[in-house]
Amino acid sequence: MRIMVLAAAAALLTGGCDRFAKTPPVKPAPGLVALPCDAGNGPLRPHSRSYCVGQRHYVTAPARAGLAGAAEALMIHSPGTPVIYMEASWPLGRRPMPPHLSHGDGRQIDLALFYTDAKGAALPRPPTRSGFGAYEPPRRESERRCTGAEKRSARNDGKDPPADRTWRLDETRTAELVRLLSADRRVRRIFLEPHLKARLGFSNDPKVRFAGCQAARHDDHLHVDFF
Ligand SMILES: [Zn+2]
């Protein structure tokens, strides 16, 4: 679950957040392993090396195996499409891992959605510097959650992108990744905004869930929670 502090997010988007400061290597806690850090190759990659420099790329061994399996399968379904991760956990397994409510113990990870340009050509990565923040808005206002009395706090909300944005959600590749993850017994749940859950065809999938209005929007990334 990602609780986004706008100030931190703004810093993140401009690359100025000190949670990405280079930290000396730390021996990971038992059970935690590092994800691949090569941003240029392989089916499973960080959105940027800053996630590795900040040592926020540790997961449990089953989570790494599940992610690697989904990434290899997605490459077969959609050649040239890596699974791109952002925030995972610290090597010492302490949680929570701010600004998240969770993360930190290696069982949670945030993955990028897939996007196209305005003409439908696949983009290689999310169109933001951090990988977060490219929100896919609901098609109808009636599908929007967390309005009125349930409105997210200002620090947890995100703005819809402009209608004339140069990118669009790639529903096919995003849905395939959700399908692959949901089919993995190691995956406990996947957080997605309700309008995307329905649009992508997961209305009857109990693993795909709404994170609630106390959490940040989950129509710019997937939060995957492993057992
Ligand atoms: Zn998350």
Side-chain angles (χ1 to χ4, degrees), residues 1-2 100 102-103 108-110 218 221-223:
M1 186 179 300
R2 182 164 190 261
H100 309 268
S102 59
H103 289 249
Q108 296 95 18
I109 188 165
D110 293 332
H218 283 80
H221 72 284
L222 299 177
H223 170 104

Side-chain angles (χ1 to χ4, degrees), residues 100-138:
H100 309 268
L101 278 184
S102 59
H103 289 249
D105 66 357
R107 294 190 305 102
Q108 296 95 18
I109 188 165
D110 293 332
L111 302 179
L113 306 184
F114 297 104
Y115 298 87
T116 69
D117 66 17
K119 293 181 178 175
L123 294 178
R125 57 184 59 251
T128 61
R129 185 164 179 169
S130 69
F132 295 103
Y135 300 104
E136 174 63 17

Side-chain angles (χ1 to χ4, degrees), residues 1 44 48 57 62 72 80 86 105 195:
M1 186 179 300
L44 178 61
S48 78
H57 63 301
E72 288 168 10
M86 282 87 79
D105 66 357
H195 71 94

Side-chain angles (χ1 to χ4, degrees), residues 50-70:
S50 60
Y51 291 105
C52 292
V53 171
Q55 298 195 69
R56 303 171 80 89
H57 63 301
Y58 285 81
V59 292
T60 62
R64 185 170 69 177
L67 291 165

